[in-house]
Amino acid sequence: MCATKSEPPPPPTESTAPSSPPLPRSSEEEKEPAEADIDKDVLCPICMQIIKDAFTTACGHSFCYTCISIHLRNKSDCPCCSRYLSNNHIFPNFLLNKLLKKISARQSARNASPVEHFRQTILQGCEVSTKELDSLLSLLVDKKRRMEQSEAEMNMQILHDFLNCLRKKKLEELNQIKTDLQYIKEDTTAVKKRTMELYTAKKRCSRNLRMLVDDSFAAKTLPSLVDQHNNGTISGGCNSQGWIGSASSQRKVNLKDQASSQGFRSKDAYDGSDSAYDTNSGVAVARKRRIHAQFNDLQECYLQKRQRWTKQFSKQEDKGPNVMDIDGYNPGLEDFQSVLSSFTRYSRLRVIAELRHGDIFHTANIVSSIEFDRDDEMFAIAGVSRRIKVFEFSSIVNEPADVHCPIVELSTRSKLSCLSWNKYTKNHIASCDYDGIVTVWDITTRQSLMEYEEHEKRAWSIDFCRTDPSMLVSGSDDCKVKVWCTKQEASVRDINLKANVCSVKYNPGSSVHVAVGTADHQIHYYDLRNISKPLYVFGGHKKAVSYVKFLSNHELASASTDNTLRLWDVKENSLLRTFRGHKNERNFVGLTANSDYIACGSETNEVFVYHKAISKPAAWYSFGSDMANVDEDVGSYFISAVCWKSDSQTMLSANSQGTIKAFVLAA
């Protein structure tokens, strides 16, 4: 009998497979599905939250009483099955409410902390032996001690970190103070040395002056005395030798006394003695008072300039000691000295002339723009009167009159917002108006040379380029900056921005760099060779930037209706200083700048002047003080335009009433 190979039994199927004993399940696992199912079933179909104060409808659906009541005020159907339903068909579900309370209690117990469980156990009267309580108390005390120790260690670590941070900060401040004190020591030594040199030079000059005076007096006096001696005024002299000698001696004494007295007078006049000092002591006291009034700003200015020059010196050490001069007089100190000298020299604005140009046919007198010509001999004004008036500055200052007549007057179709003189051709001036028209005028022929009408809205600002007098730029409410050439009939370049353009200005040292102030609180600085994006965007103002003006090739001033002026460095892309003191929240109040000073108007009808190194006003003047006889509300007037005379302390200013005054900075 041969053995046959048996087939392996088939794998057990689900029906034939031996059933493995079920794994034991904890009571919590058994409860979870049931509770999950219950949670789904006890949600209100309207608010999708666990039902509160359950009510059941005639169709068998349960809702929160509040939810179903609100629903039935608007509709008469069941939210679940849409059957007819009214307040008479809903009933309280006591069983469901009881179940919901149990579920809520169970959830609260499940979410409670171990401490809460323990507390509930004790409150429920669970019997615990004294030994067990002692063990629990010792555990709790030990736990509390460890927690307190851990918290104390954490607090000490926080305190230690704070003290270390404070120490580091104070050490940095101490090192900075030591550095500043070293600057002050070096500069004090340099100033003393320079003062001694000036004193020595002054003494030498005074001594030389006395010698010249003495020699001149002797040259004039001695011949007359010799003539008197030879003409026989001593006729009896031959009778007495002693008398002749005494006379000669007397003449010598008189000569010496006269020369000495003359010498003393010359010393008083030229020596810079106490009398001269007394004459200037009042000025010195006033200047010292200004220093103490702005001491913090001056201190900051001194340290900034000193530190900046020290950094430059460290960068240029390899190139040779060209930052310090032979006497050790640091350029930073030299720079600050010029600031201190110019700042303390002036403290007020003195009126030197008032322009009266009343027009009986035009009651609107707001002057929007004032500009001096290339040579500062003439100035032009323009505004809502639709006229450009050109005056001769010297005649306004030197020839007071009841009414000053312009030497040129040009009429326009619309209100004017801005003027700009050509920096090369003296008789050319550009204007822009409320209709967006840009016009170039010849004041000699009183005719327009070019007229551009590409702007779609009011043009606020216009400026001729200094380095290329055929180019000018304008900005408008149409969010566009347009570059024009007086040799072409259309704009040569357009810059599209996202906000209204309030002001534009060429960099005085470049024909390709333009600063643009916009209503989005920013200044955009463009290179016209690549207008796809600005070189820099200066942000910091909180409202629209109403004006931009250059002090130099790298210093840019901006004005905003946030009551501030700001000074920027367009080379370093940085904010140098913020100026506060005037009020400007709604109107365009004017802005002008020269190499050292920035001036602007105020909505308080005042003119403010700031030194570029000091954030507070250096001088101001109120137009309201001269308007005591005006019947209208003086508080409604504001300064609307200002303009410095180039390289001068003279300034023109106009207010919204049309009053124009010439000022000069005075001590």
Side-chain angles (χ1 to χ4, degrees):
M1 186 175 184
C2 61
T4 60
K5 189 175 181 180
S6 62
E7 294 289 329
T13 62
E14 184 175 345
S15 59
T16 61
S19 60
S20 58
L23 294 174
R25 299 180 66 186
S26 65
S27 60
E28 293 294 331
E29 289 177 342
E30 290 176 356
K31 290 179 182 178
E32 284 179 0
E35 288 183 1
D37 293 340
I38 291 174
D39 288 344
K40 293 178 182 178
D41 292 336
V42 297
L43 295 180
C44 173
I46 296 176
C47 65
M48 300 307 294
Q49 302 294 326
I50 294 178
I51 297 174
K52 294 180 181 179
D53 195 10
F55 267 64
T56 303
T57 64
C59 53
H61 299 103
S62 297
F63 304 92
C64 299
Y65 175 72
T66 303
C67 295
I68 192 63
S69 297
I70 294 173
H71 174 78
L72 292 177
R73 291 175 193 171
N74 303 314
K75 295 183 179 181
S76 299
D77 60 356
C78 175
C80 293
C81 61
S82 300
R83 289 186 181 182
Y84 174 75
L85 189 66
S86 67
N87 287 326
N88 297 327
H89 299 94
I90 60 174
F91 311 97
N93 192 335
F94 298 109
L95 181 62
L96 182 57
N97 279 330
K98 188 175 181 180
L99 179 62
L100 290 174
K101 287 180 180 178
K102 290 182 179 180
I103 293 174
S104 177
R106 197 176 301 144
Q107 286 182 339
S108 298
R110 187 169 62 242
N111 297 331
S113 65
V115 175
E116 182 64 23
H117 279 294
F118 180 70
R119 191 177 70 84
Q120 291 293 335
T121 302
I122 297 298
L123 291 175
Q124 290 173 5
C126 179
E127 294 184 1
V128 183
S129 67
T130 306
K131 186 176 181 180
E132 289 174 335
L133 285 176
D134 289 339
S135 176
L136 287 172
L137 286 173
S138 63
L139 286 173
L140 291 173
V141 169
D142 185 56
K143 177 66 175 177
K144 179 183 177 183
R145 188 182 299 112
R146 287 199 304 269
M147 290 177 65
E148 289 176 346
Q149 183 178 358
S150 176
E151 185 177 0
E153 289 176 357
M154 183 185 300
N155 291 336
M156 294 305 294
Q157 183 63 40
I158 292 172
L159 179 60
H160 185 264
D161 292 342
F162 168 77
L163 292 174
N164 279 338
C165 182
L166 180 62
R167 180 176 179 274
K168 181 179 179 182
K169 182 178 179 181
K170 292 301 179 182
L171 283 175
E172 292 175 354
E173 293 178 0
L174 179 61
N175 291 333
Q176 186 60 54
I177 290 174
K178 288 180 178 179
T179 304
D180 295 344
L181 287 173
Q182 184 62 30
Y183 293 155
I184 295 170
K185 182 179 178 180
E186 293 173 0
D187 292 344
T188 301
T189 303
V191 168
K192 286 181 177 179
K193 184 177 180 181
R194 182 69 63 89
T195 303
M196 288 302 298
E197 291 174 355
L198 292 173
Y199 180 76
T200 303
K202 181 179 178 181
K203 284 293 185 183
R204 188 184 303 114
C205 178
S206 179
R207 186 169 57 252
N208 293 338
L209 206 56
R210 283 201 305 273
M211 291 175 62
L212 289 173
V213 171
D214 290 345
D215 292 344
S216 175
F217 180 78
K220 293 178 180 179
T221 307
L222 285 175
S224 62
L225 292 175
V226 172
D227 291 341
Q228 291 177 10
H229 181 274
N230 293 333
N231 288 336
T233 55
I234 50 171
S235 55
C238 52
N239 297 327
S240 174
Q241 184 74 21
W243 184 85
I244 294 175
S246 63
S248 176
S249 175
Q250 185 69 26
R251 291 187 185 95
K252 290 180 181 179
V253 171
N254 292 337
L255 177 62
K256 183 177 180 181
D257 291 342
Q258 293 179 29
S260 299
S261 64
Q262 184 69 22
F264 284 127
R265 285 196 297 272
S266 67
K267 179 178 180 180
D268 290 340
Y270 302 107
D271 193 21
S273 60
D274 292 340
S275 61
Y277 177 78
D278 291 339
T279 304
N280 296 324
S281 61
V283 176
V285 169
R287 296 183 73 169
K288 288 180 181 178
R289 191 180 299 117
R290 289 169 212 150
I291 290 175
H292 289 292
Q294 304 290 348
F295 188 83
N296 291 336
D297 284 338
L298 289 169
Q299 171 185 284
E300 182 183 356
C301 177
Y302 165 75
L303 294 176
Q304 283 180 349
K305 292 183 178 298
R306 199 59 168 80
Q307 291 165 7
R308 187 185 68 195
W309 278 100
T310 301
K311 290 179 182 178
Q312 291 188 9
F313 174 69
S314 61
K315 291 179 182 179
Q316 298 177 4
E317 262 184 334
D318 299 335
K319 301 179 182 179
N322 56 349
V323 175
M324 301 282 278
D325 62 14
I326 299 173
D327 297 330
Y329 210 68
N330 189 282
L333 179 61
E334 192 88 43
D335 194 5
F336 176 72
Q337 183 182 6
S338 65
V339 170
L340 190 65
S341 175
S342 60
F343 175 74
T344 57
R345 185 178 295 119
Y346 308 114
S347 64
R348 63 188 179 93
L349 286 169
R350 179 167 59 86
V351 179
I352 58 175
E354 182 173 345
L355 174 63
R356 297 178 176 87
H357 64 106
D359 192 338
I360 61 174
F361 300 106
H362 294 85
T363 57
N365 290 321
I366 296 178
V367 176
S368 303
S369 182
I370 303 179
E371 288 288 324
F372 276 102
D373 75 334
R374 181 194 67 188
D375 301 325
D376 292 327
E377 295 174 349
M378 300 181 295
F379 67 91
I381 65 172
V384 299
S385 65
R386 296 181 174 86
R387 279 176 165 78
I388 300 174
K389 297 180 181 180
V390 181
F391 297 89
E392 189 175 33
F393 182 73
S394 60
S395 65
I396 300 299
V397 174
N398 301 323
E399 301 173 10
D402 293 334
V403 176
H404 296 94
C405 297
I407 58 176
V408 175
E409 185 168 346
L410 305 171
S411 297
T412 61
R413 291 174 292 180
S414 181
K415 298 176 182 179
L416 296 164
S417 52
C418 189
L419 296 173
S420 178
W421 286 91
N422 191 295
K423 311 305 184 292
Y424 181 78
T425 307
K426 183 180 176 67
N427 59 324
H428 287 182
I429 189 171
S431 68
C432 59
D433 61 29
Y434 282 33
D435 290 335
I437 301 173
V438 174
T439 310
V440 179
W441 305 85
D442 186 330
I443 64 169
T444 303
T445 62
R446 294 172 171 78
Q447 299 295 323
S448 63
L449 300 176
M450 300 294 292
E451 194 169 274
Y452 306 102
E453 300 184 7
E454 294 184 22
H455 280 303
E456 299 170 4
K457 295 183 179 180
R458 171 169 45 188
W460 279 113
S461 182
I462 191 167
D463 186 48
F464 264 113
C465 179
R466 285 184 178 272
T467 56
D468 186 351
S470 65
M471 304 299 296
L472 63 158
V473 63
S474 63
S476 166
D477 272 341
D478 61 6
C479 306
K480 293 180 181 179
V481 174
K482 291 184 177 288
V483 182
W484 315 90
C485 178
T486 56
K487 300 175 183 178
Q488 300 184 30
E489 296 182 355
S491 60
V492 297
R493 192 166 279 104
D494 285 5
I495 303 174
N496 295 311
L497 291 101
K498 296 180 180 179
N500 297 27
V501 178
C502 303
S503 54
V504 291
K505 199 70 178 176
Y506 267 107
N507 188 312
S510 170
S511 61
V512 295
H513 291 110
V514 173
V516 182
T518 58
D520 63 356
H521 315 169
Q522 295 178 328
I523 301 103
H524 304 259
Y525 190 58
Y526 279 96
D527 186 332
L528 297 179
R529 294 168 295 188
N530 180 17
I531 60 174
S532 58
K533 63 178 181 178
L535 284 175
Y536 305 120
V537 177
F538 301 105
H541 282 298
K542 297 179 181 179
K543 290 187 178 180
V545 178
S546 49
Y547 296 96
V548 287
K549 300 284 183 179
F550 280 93
L551 285 76
S552 63
N553 293 349
H554 66 279
E555 293 172 312
L556 174 68
S558 62
S560 170
T561 51
D562 62 1
N563 296 314
T564 66
L565 307 180
R566 291 176 183 256
L567 183 63
W568 312 87
D569 189 325
V570 296
K571 287 187 177 180
E572 300 294 333
N573 186 22
S574 62
L575 173 65
L576 299 177
R577 192 159 284 101
T578 300
F579 306 91
R580 292 182 176 88
H582 63 287
K583 181 182 179 182
N584 182 18
E585 297 177 349
R586 295 180 296 132
N587 302 294
F588 282 21
V589 296
L591 178 70
T592 184
N594 59 22
S595 58
D596 289 324
Y597 288 94
I598 305 169
C600 70
S602 173
E603 289 168 359
T604 57
N605 207 21
E606 295 174 293
V607 184
F608 284 82
V609 176
Y610 298 88
H611 191 282
K612 68 178 182 180
I614 308 297
S615 59
K616 296 179 181 178
W620 59 89
Y621 178 87
S622 174
F623 274 54
S625 61
D626 300 332
M627 301 172 63
N629 297 324
V630 178
D631 295 332
E632 300 178 44
D633 182 13
V634 175
S636 63
Y637 297 123
F638 59 92
I639 302 301
S640 56
V642 288
C643 182
W644 283 113
K645 193 177 179 184
S646 301
D647 300 324
S648 167
Q649 308 307 326
T650 303
M651 179 181 65
L652 289 172
S653 178
N655 73 348
S656 55
Q657 191 195 19
T659 303
I660 301 174
K661 295 187 179 185
F663 301 96
V664 64
L665 281 172

